[in-house]
Amino acid sequence: MAHSESARRAVCGLLLCLCVPGLGAPQLAAHQPAAHKTVVFTAVDENGAIISGARLTITEPGLPPVELWTDYAGQCRFTLQKDAPYTVHGEKPGFYQANQTNVDPQLDSVRLVLAHEQIVKEQVSVSASTPGIDTQQVSDERAMNLAEIVNVPYQTSRDIRFLLPFYPGVVQDATEQVHVNGSETWQTLDTIDGFDVRSPAEGTLDIRVSADAVRSIDEETTRYPVQFGRSTGGVIAFYTGMGDNKFRFNATNFFPSYRDLNGIHFDNFVPRFTFSGPLARNHAWWYDGVELEYDGNYIPELPANADTNPLIRGSNLIKTQANLSANNILTTGLLFNDYHSPYEGLSPLVPQQSTTRRDIIAWLPYVRDQWTFHHGMLLDVGVGEMRFRDGHEPHGDIPYQITPELAEGSYFENLTGRASRYEGTADLYLPPRHWTGEHNLRMGLDLDHIGYSQDQFRAPVSYLNEDGTLARQSTFPEMPPFALHNDEIGAYIEDRWRPLNGLLVEPGLRFDWDAIIRRPLPGPRLAAVYAPHSKDTTKISAGIGLYYDHTQLAYLLQPFAGIRYDTFYAANGTAGPTQETTFTADDATLREPRAVNWSVAVERKLPWNIFGGASYLQKVTSNMFTFANQSGPATLSGDYALTNARLDHYRQEEIDLRRLFRNGYTLYVTYTHSSARTNAALDYLPTPSPLGPQQPGPQPWDAPNRIISWGWLPFDVPWAPWFRKNWDFVYTLILQTGFPYTAVDAGDQVVGAAGAYRFPAYINVSPGLEWRFHFRGQYYGLRGVIENASNRENPLIVNSNIASPQFGTFSEPEGRALTARIRLIGTK
């Protein structure tokens, strides 16, 4: 009976296990073969933000590695071939590499964390990602990440804008503004964390952010996506830092710098500080980047005690990030700028008395919210408000005179301008779709409201001959304050289509409209990249697009400046009849400036870890704004009406080489041949500006030949052990054709052809050494750089007045400077 009872219970137990799911042998029932199973991989940074464009390498045992790229939502998919643990490796320039080994093949999804490179980091065994050929990048995007920002010893390192000329095709003029591929400054879209930071009225890049707060700078000049609108010159995008779960502090430039000009003189003192850390570990973080500047601005040609402009400037960027949920990230920021220059415009041709006191206050608060949804859909929404107050006033009320040599008296203009931009953006990234290949669609909308108001007063301006007699006098009747507004709407849709392996096609369409031009502006673009080899050793890119500018308010403001009355005087002092000049604009007749931009490029990996590239770009910009004299081309006065008669041509050929070494050391060199010309070389303004018939000529920033090189290398001395592994050699080099300038006479009338003369060739070689050392548990870097080591003059100013015996004399040389930087690298 006992045996039969035991048998009965065993049979019942067996039946129960067979009939009830989950009982019996759970390990055998739960295990499913992983072969041919599709896994979703997601790349995120240390704070959980998605990383698009990361390269993931999947290695299964006994099989060759497979490379994948993350999409807009930071995801990619892979079908496993074996039911065995495998390895995932991830990398992207600007991030440390990441590895996951022995990944369970039963997992449906894998999350890979790539941490941003840090100025201050713990000394752990992490390696930065190595730049290479990005076969998934259709545009000509060039990125300078933390390695370049920290190591390239660019001149005037207090101002991140001075790093931009080390991109091919980017030149910087005497006003410190940059020009991308032959364009006006305002034709380039400048962004910080995705928000437009151009001056709302002038379109210049005037707002500043600490160089230590910048994680990366992306530059695109051709084949850039339709997401970026209202810019024919290109895009310069600054991306700033964020804290993580470790409290961090960094300080740079404790010491002032000095310059060798007529002896050793104080140059500047520009300390920078960054603070960051967690607000709530793994959920919220903060970041603060502060910079201060006291600049001597010594001008050796001016009299002692009146030869400096001691300006003061500062900026502060405060940011927070909160992960409200696993799928919702909220980021906030506030950028504040303050600038005070007691003698703005000081130069050998403009003494202190003739300068202005200039004050600028600017701030940009912004919010960005990002949601990720099922199957990889992503929505990104941002709102920001930018405000500028820019004003200048003269020193005293002494009559303002312009002689053939220099300006005298008190500046003629007292002006206060207030500008604002309200900006809203929304971008929707759809999950991949498959139809004759893979499609990644995105679409977006951006809305802007721009406002500007101005108060002004202008005194007479007298133009003197060499003997001190009057050649011309300009007067300006009093004008009331005025305001101008504009609303802008933009929308786009774009597809990234992979019809076959190695080929990526990117068609896109953008529509723009604003309240001034009031015309729909469709802008189609098409670009493609082809990588014929699976090892990413060769890449061929080509594209063409129609790009529109934004309506540049600076031109539309000129009619509000009022009337100018000019009186010209004969050599015997006899005054001619007073001539009236007005500036007018009719919005109904205007068209938006537009450019047809096409290009082709090839990149290839060469032996010895050298990456080479060659490219050709051509851009024709038509319908550009220019004032045309309605009284005839030979008439100096009359009505100057705003027209679309200007036509600009730009052509560029470029060759570049980059050599990568172990531990991130890099050498880079590029040669660019270009031509930037226009059919309207004279820029007419109501205020003092050259007069004469309009004519073609080179752009003021035209530099046909340009060589750039920079890099950093280990500086080991075998016979000095203390040198080994502690020193780096750094350098920069710029060699370019001098900029053109135009000759004028005593009455400011153009003489000869526009741009007929040029500055001397610009040559600057700046070598330096950085010493890394430990002190009290911290790891520091002390760097010294000899800027313009050859002490070449590289003048900024020229006397362009043919009535002066000093015509063609160059002044304000750059001079040699010794700069030092100390920075905290990490902890032991």
Side-chain angles (χ1 to χ4, degrees):
M1 291 291 295
H3 290 289
S4 61
E5 182 65 21
S6 298
R8 186 180 65 81
R9 290 178 179 177
V11 172
C12 290
L14 179 61
L15 291 174
L16 183 63
C17 290
L18 293 175
C19 295
V20 179
L23 297 179
Q27 290 88 355
L28 296 176
H31 183 79
Q32 299 294 330
H36 307 295
K37 175 180 180 179
T38 299
V39 182
V40 177
F41 297 90
T42 304
V44 298
D45 69 7
E46 62 272 31
N47 296 337
I50 63 168
I51 302 175
S52 62
R55 177 161 54 186
L56 304 188
T57 303
I58 317 298
T59 305
E60 296 185 87
L63 296 177
V66 177
E67 288 188 350
L68 305 171
W69 300 79
T70 59
D71 59 20
Y72 295 127
Q75 295 183 350
C76 59
R77 290 163 176 79
F78 179 70
T79 301
L80 298 176
Q81 302 301 308
K82 288 191 173 184
D83 184 10
Y86 58 94
T87 299
V88 183
H89 173 82
E91 61 179 298
K92 182 179 181 178
F95 295 82
Y96 295 117
Q97 299 179 38
N99 284 285
Q100 284 191 24
T101 58
N102 294 319
V103 180
D104 187 351
Q106 295 298 317
L107 296 176
D108 296 322
S109 61
V110 176
R111 183 182 175 96
L112 192 66
V113 178
L114 280 69
H116 283 92
E117 294 179 7
Q118 298 284 348
I119 294 179
V120 181
K121 63 179 184 292
E122 297 181 18
Q123 288 184 285
V124 296
S125 56
V126 292
S127 300
S129 300
T130 303
I133 296 178
D134 187 351
T135 58
Q136 308 304 301
Q137 183 60 54
V138 176
S139 79
D140 69 334
E141 178 182 307
R142 294 180 174 91
M144 284 198 181
N145 296 302
L146 197 63
E148 290 84 5
I149 294 171
V150 170
N151 290 301
V152 175
Y154 59 96
Q155 200 164 0
T156 316
S157 60
R158 66 186 182 275
D159 189 343
I160 194 68
R161 295 178 302 177
F162 280 76
L163 181 58
L164 301 179
F166 291 97
Y167 286 102
V170 179
V171 298
Q172 189 172 37
D173 62 26
T175 67
E176 302 179 353
Q177 294 294 326
V178 296
H179 302 268
V180 178
N181 283 4
S183 299
E184 297 269 6
T185 296
W186 55 265
Q187 292 180 291
T188 299
L189 174 61
D190 304 307
T191 67
I192 293 180
D193 293 335
F195 292 93
D196 189 345
V197 293
R198 291 175 293 186
S199 170
E202 299 294 333
T204 49
L205 178 56
D206 294 325
I207 200 165
R208 298 266 291 273
V209 63
S210 169
D212 289 350
V214 178
R215 269 181 174 165
S216 68
I217 309 172
D218 295 349
E219 182 233 24
E220 298 178 79
T221 64
T222 184
R223 305 188 300 276
Y224 50 96
V226 290
Q227 178 185 15
F228 301 114
R230 296 192 283 270
S231 60
T232 61
V235 182
I236 296 177
F238 299 87
Y239 296 97
T240 61
M242 177 53 67
D244 55 17
N245 284 334
K246 177 181 174 61
F247 285 102
R248 300 180 187 272
F249 167 73
N250 179 56
T252 307
N253 284 352
F254 302 144
F255 304 118
S257 64
Y258 295 86
R259 187 170 293 274
D260 182 12
L261 282 174
N262 290 348
I264 303 301
H265 290 270
F266 168 78
D267 188 26
N268 59 63
F269 178 52
V270 195
R272 303 194 295 268
F273 309 93
T274 60
F275 312 85
S276 65
L279 291 171
R281 291 184 64 85
N282 300 321
H283 294 287
W285 305 267
W286 62 279
Y287 183 92
D288 193 1
V290 182
E291 65 168 346
L292 303 171
E293 175 183 350
Y294 178 76
D295 202 324
N297 287 314
Y298 169 67
I299 308 296
E301 294 87 351
L302 295 178
N305 301 321
D307 54 4
T308 59
N309 176 29
L311 68 82
I312 299 174
R313 186 189 61 81
S315 76
N316 190 17
L317 173 66
I318 303 173
K319 294 178 64 178
T320 66
Q321 177 183 323
N323 293 1
L324 304 181
S325 70
N327 301 316
N328 185 199
I329 297 177
L330 180 69
T331 305
T332 66
L334 173 61
L335 175 60
F336 177 78
N337 278 208
D338 194 3
Y339 174 91
H340 173 69
S341 175
Y343 301 107
E344 182 75 5
L346 185 71
S347 79
L349 306 185
V350 183
Q352 283 186 349
Q353 177 65 48
S354 301
T355 62
T356 62
R357 285 185 292 267
R358 188 180 185 189
D359 291 282
I360 302 175
I361 294 178
W363 61 92
L364 169 66
Y366 60 89
V367 178
R368 186 171 296 282
D369 205 357
Q370 188 179 90
W371 292 272
T372 54
F373 300 94
H374 191 52
H375 298 308
M377 187 169 69
L378 173 70
L379 176 63
D380 188 286
V381 177
V383 178
E385 175 189 1
M386 185 178 188
R387 287 187 173 271
F388 261 91
R389 183 198 178 278
D390 188 354
H392 58 255
E393 59 180 353
H395 295 276
D397 56 1
I398 302 173
Y400 186 65
Q401 301 178 145
I402 298 176
T403 74
E405 283 74 40
L406 74 167
E408 296 176 347
S410 304
Y411 192 66
F412 74 100
E413 184 180 63
N414 189 328
L415 184 148
T416 300
R418 295 175 175 83
S420 63
R421 177 188 293 109
Y422 298 91
E423 180 178 3
T425 63
D427 299 282
L428 179 64
Y429 304 85
L430 299 179
R433 293 289 184 266
H434 294 271
W435 179 71
T436 63
E438 182 181 90
H439 296 264
N440 284 268
L441 284 169
R442 64 174 170 176
M443 58 193 70
L445 178 71
D446 55 81
L447 308 172
D448 294 77
H449 173 79
I450 297 173
Y452 180 80
S453 63
Q454 180 175 303
D455 299 315
Q456 63 188 14
F457 172 79
R458 293 184 174 124
V461 178
S462 298
Y463 300 81
L464 304 185
N465 294 306
E466 182 64 21
D467 59 6
T469 58
L470 268 175
R472 169 190 167 196
Q473 186 175 63
S474 300
T475 59
F476 310 89
E478 186 173 351
M479 298 297 294
F482 64 86
L484 187 64
H485 297 270
N486 192 18
D487 296 303
E488 299 173 332
I489 301 174
Y492 73 89
I493 183 169
E494 181 181 76
D495 184 20
R496 286 173 64 87
W497 175 36
R498 293 179 177 83
L500 49 89
N501 288 334
L503 178 62
L504 175 61
V505 182
E506 195 171 88
L509 180 63
R510 182 178 178 91
F511 285 91
D512 285 293
W513 181 91
D514 76 12
I516 293 177
I517 302 299
R518 291 184 175 273
R519 300 176 188 274
L521 306 173
R525 304 178 197 177
L526 176 65
V529 59
Y530 175 58
H533 303 295
S534 60
K535 296 295 185 180
D536 293 345
T537 58
T538 304
K539 169 184 170 181
I540 302 171
S541 308
I544 186 170
L546 179 60
Y547 302 77
Y548 285 92
D549 276 318
H550 68 279
T551 301
Q552 174 67 349
L553 291 188
Y555 287 97
L556 297 170
L557 297 176
Q558 303 308 325
F560 293 95
I563 303 171
R564 185 184 73 221
Y565 296 104
D566 291 314
T567 303
F568 293 87
Y569 292 82
N572 60 6
T574 302
T578 299
Q579 301 180 22
E580 179 180 296
T581 298
T582 59
F583 286 75
T584 58
D586 182 0
D587 298 350
T589 64
L590 295 177
R591 302 290 189 274
E592 199 71 78
R594 66 179 193 174
V596 176
N597 180 324
W598 70 270
S599 60
V600 61
V602 60
E603 299 176 53
R604 182 165 178 80
K605 185 177 181 180
L606 305 173
W608 304 298
N609 213 23
I610 296 174
F611 294 85
S615 65
Y616 177 82
L617 180 150
Q618 182 170 300
K619 178 175 60 177
V620 179
T621 310
S622 58
N623 290 342
M624 290 195 65
F625 291 162
T626 186
F627 284 100
N629 195 330
Q630 303 304 294
S631 302
T635 306
L636 299 181
S637 62
D639 178 33
Y640 285 81
L642 187 61
T643 69
N644 292 107
R646 179 174 159 183
L647 181 67
D648 289 1
H649 289 266
Y650 182 77
R651 187 189 71 252
Q652 173 183 294
E653 302 95 25
E654 177 198 324
I655 299 174
D656 65 83
L657 294 171
R658 182 192 292 258
R659 172 72 157 90
L660 302 179
F661 300 88
R662 292 171 55 185
N663 300 321
Y665 290 106
T666 302
L667 286 180
Y668 177 78
V669 62
T670 180
Y671 168 71
T672 303
H673 179 261
S674 64
S675 172
R677 298 189 62 84
T678 179
N679 70 339
L682 302 184
D683 194 10
Y684 301 119
L685 298 171
T687 52
S689 60
L691 299 177
Q694 188 59 270
Q695 55 180 298
Q699 299 279 27
W701 46 87
D702 177 50
N705 296 287
R706 196 159 184 262
I707 297 175
I708 301 169
S709 184
W710 48 261
W712 62 98
L713 293 169
F715 189 73
D716 293 342
V717 180
W719 58 86
W722 62 282
F723 261 80
R724 297 179 185 175
K725 299 182 181 180
N726 291 317
W727 292 80
D728 284 348
F729 171 75
V730 298
Y731 81 96
T732 58
L733 178 147
I734 295 182
L735 190 158
Q736 69 183 34
T737 309
F739 293 143
Y741 67 93
T742 301
V744 297
D745 65 12
D748 215 16
Q749 296 185 44
V750 173
V751 178
Y757 303 87
R758 283 189 179 268
F759 280 76
Y762 181 91
I763 303 175
N764 185 308
V765 182
S766 300
L769 290 174
E770 179 162 290
W771 175 41
R772 298 180 302 280
F773 61 95
H774 293 280
F775 181 72
R776 293 189 175 182
Q778 305 293 325
Y779 195 34
Y780 293 90
L782 177 62
R783 185 169 76 183
V785 176
I786 305 175
E787 295 181 350
N788 189 23
S790 66
N791 203 27
R792 185 177 175 85
E793 286 195 352
N794 295 331
L796 293 175
I797 303 295
V798 64
N799 186 324
S800 59
N801 195 316
I802 63 168
S804 170
Q806 300 177 21
F807 170 70
T809 301
F810 299 97
S811 57
E812 199 169 333
E814 192 173 57
R816 183 191 294 115
L818 175 62
T819 62
R821 181 191 74 178
I822 186 169
R823 63 187 177 98
L824 178 64
I825 298 176
T827 58
K828 282 188 177 181

